[in-house]
Amino acid sequence: MNSQNETSSNKRAECAGGRLLDKVAVITGAASGIGKEIALTFAREGARVVIADLDQSAAQQTASAIDPTGKRALGVGMDVTNEEQVESGMARAIEAFGRLDVLVSNAGVQIVAPLVEFEFEKWRKLLSIHLDGAFLTTRTALRQMYRQKSGSIIYMGSVHAKEASPLKAPYVTAKHGLIGLAKVVAKEGAAHGVRANVICPGFVRTPLVEKQIPEQARELGISEADVVKTVMLKETVDGEFTTVQDVAEAALFLAAFPSNALTGQSMVVSHGWFMQ
Ligand code: NAD
C-alpha cells in the first residue's frame, strides 16, 4: 500500500462507525486484492466476515489477521465453480455465525487473448468463475436470506460490464452477464427483503491487473508504461488508478443501505473512465 492510500485508509478507520454492526458477510475471492479490502472494511464496521477463496491457506491467513480468535472472521477454502464446495462452504459460514446478511460475489480472474485465438477451455474457465460462481453463491445465499427476510447481494462487475476492450471477450461477456443476474435477483428477491447491486470498478492495481500489464504489452506490441497510460487509464478524468479502498467504500455503502430503494443498480467507480 502506498503512503497516500495508507493515510486515507487510516483516516477512514478513525471515522468507522459500526455501519455493519453484527451483520454477517461472505466475500468470495477475499484472500487478495479487492475482496480482501472489502473483508477488512466490513470487519472494521462491525461485521463478522467469511473469507471464501480458492486459496484456502491465504483465506485462513486473512481471517486470522482480522480476528485470531476466529469469533469474528472465518477463512473457508472454496472453488466458486464447484457446486458441492459452494454449498458446504456457505453452510459452514452460516453455521459459524448463525445468519447471512451480505454476499459479495467477487472471485474472478482475467485471461487476455484475441478472440480468433481464444481457447475454448479458457473461455469456459473464465465464464465459469465469474458466472457459475455468482449463480452458485447467490442460490445458496438466497435460501438463507429468504428465511431471514433480508439480505444484500453485491456482484463485482467492472467498467467492462458496460464497455468493451479488445482481448477481453469472455471477461466483458461475463461482466455484462452479472448485471442481468443482479436485475433478476432484485426482482425475485424484493418480496423477501433481498437487494442486489453491482459495483463496476475501473482498473485497480491488484495481482489480477499486475499480471495483465506485461501480457497486454506483448499482445499489443507496446511498452508496459504505455499499457498503463494509453490503454488502462487513457479514458479516466485524471489518469489515476481506482484503489481497493475506493471499491470497498462502495461495497460498504451498498451493504449498509437501509432499503429496497437501491436495488438492481450498477455503480461505476472508475475515475470517470465510464460515465453512465
Ligand atoms: P485478485 O487476483 O487480487 O483476487 C482474486 C481472488 O479470487 C484471489 O484471491 C483468487 O484466489 C480468487 N479466486 C480466483 N478463482 C477463484 C475460484 N474459482 N473460487 C474462489 N476464489 C477464486 O483480483 P482482484 O483485482 O481483487 O479482482 C476481484 C474482482 O474484481 C474480480 O471479479 C475482478 O474481475 C474484479 N475487478 C477487478 C478490477 C481490477 O482492476 N483489479 C477491475 C474491475 C473489476
Side-chain angles (χ1 to χ4, degrees), residues 29-35 52-55 78-81 106-109 129-130 156-159 171 175 201-209:
S32 173
I34 292 172
D53 203 286
L54 190 59
D55 185 338
M78 179 194 290
D79 178 350
V80 295
T81 67
N106 165 80
V109 295
I129 294 171
H130 291 262
M156 198 50 63
S158 162
V159 165
Y171 191 81
K175 293 301 191 188
F203 282 100
V204 184
R205 273 202 111 135
T206 64
L208 179 141
V209 160

Side-chain angles (χ1 to χ4, degrees), residues 1-14:
M1 195 190 281
N2 68 33
S3 62
Q4 193 193 346
N5 288 345
E6 213 165 328
T7 316
S8 79
S9 159
N10 291 345
K11 274 203 199 116
R12 281 168 178 149
E14 281 162 24

Side-chain angles (χ1 to χ4, degrees), residues 83-105:
E83 185 174 14
E84 195 278 322
Q85 287 187 31
V86 171
E87 295 281 331
S88 63
M90 296 287 282
R92 243 188 97 199
I94 293 163
E95 195 186 305
F97 293 139
R99 54 184 293 116
L100 177 60
D101 301 287
V102 185
L103 166 67
V104 184
S105 171

Side-chain angles (χ1 to χ4, degrees), residues 11-232:
K11 274 203 199 116
R12 281 168 178 149
E14 281 162 24
C15 301
R19 279 183 282 171
L20 294 178
L21 208 56
D22 291 329
K23 301 281 187 205
V24 175
V26 171
I27 303 127
T28 69
S32 173
I34 292 172
K36 186 173 181 173
E37 187 62 28
I38 292 174
L40 294 169
T41 301
F42 282 14
R44 213 161 50 219
E45 292 287 342
R48 286 168 288 165
V49 291
V50 179
I51 285 94
D53 203 286
L54 190 59
D55 185 338
Q56 182 167 5
S57 80
Q60 280 162 347
Q61 270 172 29
T62 305
S64 353
I66 292 171
D67 179 11
T69 71
K71 286 190 185 137
R72 305 198 62 83
L74 174 72
V76 172
M78 179 194 290
D79 178 350
V80 295
T81 67
N82 180 306
E83 185 174 14
E84 195 278 322
Q85 287 187 31
V86 171
E87 295 281 331
S88 63
M90 296 287 282
R92 243 188 97 199
I94 293 163
E95 195 186 305
F97 293 139
R99 54 184 293 116
L100 177 60
D101 301 287
V102 185
L103 166 67
V104 184
S105 171
N106 165 80
V109 295
Q110 177 62 280
I111 305 172
V112 294
L115 199 42
V116 283
E117 291 167 14
F118 228 107
E119 290 168 38
F120 187 33
E121 202 182 314
K122 290 185 176 168
W123 165 273
R124 275 207 292 225
K125 177 184 168 188
L126 192 145
L127 287 187
S128 180
I129 294 171
H130 291 262
L131 292 179
D132 296 348
F135 161 68
L136 289 171
T137 49
T138 296
R139 191 179 58 178
T140 326
L142 286 180
R143 292 188 191 124
Q144 176 67 21
M145 289 174 174
Y146 283 7
R147 276 196 288 275
Q148 295 170 192
K149 302 206 180 328
S150 69
S152 170
I153 299 186
I154 299 167
Y155 298 99
M156 198 50 63
S158 162
V159 165
H160 286 113
K162 312 265 182 185
E163 274 281 0
S165 291
L167 310 178
K168 296 190 174 172
Y171 191 81
V172 170
T173 304
K175 293 301 191 188
H176 276 68
L178 288 177
I179 291 193
L181 177 62
K183 288 177 179 173
V184 176
V185 175
K187 292 205 170 191
E188 291 190 12
H192 308 272
V194 175
R195 300 178 293 110
N197 293 288
V198 186
I199 300 175
C200 300
F203 282 100
V204 184
R205 273 202 111 135
T206 64
L208 179 141
V209 160
E210 295 295 351
K211 177 174 162 284
Q212 272 176 70
I213 297 173
E215 287 172 355
Q216 292 220 37
R218 245 189 336 269
E219 290 289 350
L220 299 170
I222 57 177
S223 71
E224 293 189 15
D226 278 345
V227 170
V228 170
K229 204 166 155 204
T230 65
V231 178
M232 295 184 163

